[in-house]
Amino acid sequence: MKNIKYTLASLLVAIGLKACWVDEESKKIELKGTFVNESYLRRSSDSLLAVIPFYATELVFERPDSVLIRNGVEEYSLAYTIRRDTCYVHQAYQNHGRLEDLRLVILSDTTFEALEQEFTGTKEAARFVKTSVFEGFEYQLRSQIAGQYDLKGKEKQRVILHANGKIEGLGEYETFELCYAGDCLSEPAKIANVMQLSNPKKQEFVVWEYDQDTGILRIYQLQEAVPDIKGEREIISKLFELKKRS
């Protein structure tokens, strides 16, 4: 009788474990929407953008079988599959001549970690978080310096930098973009943060510095570009110094 009880108890435990296993296997994990590289955004507040390694700034899941990858220079789609809590983005990068999958460890439907260390040479995975399609990576990057400022020398002149890239009150310039990838990073002779100031008739690369503690944004002019030479432009003067309003 005792053996029968033990057998029944063992059978019930086994059935329970099997049920849990089946539920775990059958649970469908989905990734939908736009995910931004939060790790990069966090580092960008106290690092030069040119030295932050990354695989992608945004991953956009719009289709059930492919993901759109953006890295600031190009965007392309790659196939992916999901097994349990891991998304495998297939043939995402080269490693010693072999195409490797990029693994995304899914923490929730709004967060995952990209195991990009082989590609970037870093020690930690990059955390991505879901965001609104209207507040993607570049919007959030610009948000770190966006705000209302006073222009030094003209303290009554208000300057507004909007997170969507619009400018108010900064002379002839109407928009700004922060450079974080591509040829624009090589414009200055020495490594620095680069910004493009624009209006419909003109685009100009400048160097910028922002002090989080004082709220002071300094923008420097580069020397004229030399024909047939890309970049290597020295800073020649300060264009603007702005103090963020508290």
Side-chain angles (χ1 to χ4, degrees):
M1 187 68 177
K2 186 179 293 185
N3 290 336
I4 293 174
K5 288 181 179 180
Y6 285 145
T7 301
L8 288 174
S10 299
L11 182 60
L12 289 173
V13 170
I15 291 172
L17 290 174
K18 178 66 174 177
C20 292
W21 180 81
V22 170
D23 288 344
E24 183 66 24
E25 281 290 305
S26 62
K27 183 180 179 181
K28 187 176 181 180
I29 301 173
E30 292 185 338
L31 293 174
K32 291 184 179 179
T34 299
F35 294 76
V36 297
N37 191 331
E38 184 185 59
S39 295
Y40 183 106
L41 291 170
R42 185 175 63 250
R43 291 188 61 187
S44 68
S45 64
D46 58 7
S47 300
L48 293 173
L49 304 189
V51 303
I52 304 175
F54 64 94
Y55 174 77
T57 54
E58 279 185 353
L59 296 179
V60 184
F61 291 86
E62 297 176 318
R63 299 179 180 179
D65 58 356
S66 64
V67 55
L68 180 65
I69 297 169
R70 295 175 175 149
N71 60 23
V73 177
E74 58 183 348
E75 56 181 60
Y76 49 92
S77 294
L78 293 175
Y80 75 88
T81 55
I82 294 178
R83 296 196 294 271
R84 290 182 178 268
D85 64 348
T86 304
C87 174
Y88 297 85
V89 181
H90 300 305
Q91 299 186 338
Y93 63 92
Q94 285 208 9
N95 180 27
H96 300 293
R98 293 180 53 187
L99 285 171
E100 302 280 359
D101 292 350
L102 176 66
R103 288 177 295 150
L104 313 178
V105 178
I106 303 170
L107 305 178
S108 71
D109 59 354
T110 61
T111 310
F112 60 78
E113 290 186 342
L115 307 185
E116 58 176 21
Q117 294 95 315
E118 282 186 340
F119 179 84
T120 61
T122 56
K123 294 181 179 179
E124 297 180 356
R127 179 175 290 252
F128 282 72
V129 296
K130 190 172 183 178
T131 186
S132 161
V133 67
F134 303 107
E135 297 183 359
F137 176 82
E138 293 186 1
Y139 181 97
Q140 294 190 37
L141 186 64
R142 289 189 295 261
S143 293
Q144 299 192 36
I145 64 169
Q148 296 190 30
Y149 292 84
D150 290 314
L151 182 62
K152 185 176 181 180
K154 298 181 180 179
E155 275 69 17
K156 292 184 179 180
Q157 181 173 333
R158 183 180 64 168
V159 175
I160 305 177
L161 303 182
H162 296 275
N164 63 7
K166 299 293 185 182
I167 299 177
E168 295 180 45
L170 195 63
E172 61 183 329
Y173 301 108
E174 299 178 7
T175 62
F176 76 101
E177 293 290 340
L178 302 184
C179 177
Y180 58 91
D183 291 342
C184 58
L185 290 174
S186 63
E187 288 293 331
K190 296 179 181 179
I191 189 169
N193 280 333
V194 179
M195 176 191 297
Q196 180 176 272
L197 298 174
S198 305
N199 62 39
K201 297 181 179 180
K202 179 182 180 181
Q203 294 83 40
E204 181 175 1
F205 287 112
V206 296
V207 165
W208 63 277
E209 298 174 341
Y210 181 66
D211 188 317
Q212 294 276 356
D213 295 327
T214 63
I216 292 178
L217 173 63
R218 297 182 179 90
I219 299 174
Y220 300 93
Q221 184 177 17
L222 294 170
Q223 67 182 169
E224 290 292 329
V226 178
D228 301 322
I229 296 179
K230 184 176 291 186
E232 300 183 15
R233 299 162 61 187
E234 299 288 347
I235 292 173
I236 58 174
S237 64
K238 186 191 298 181
L239 273 177
F240 305 105
E241 183 169 316
L242 310 173
K243 177 70 169 66
K244 184 172 279 190
R245 295 185 174 186
S246 56

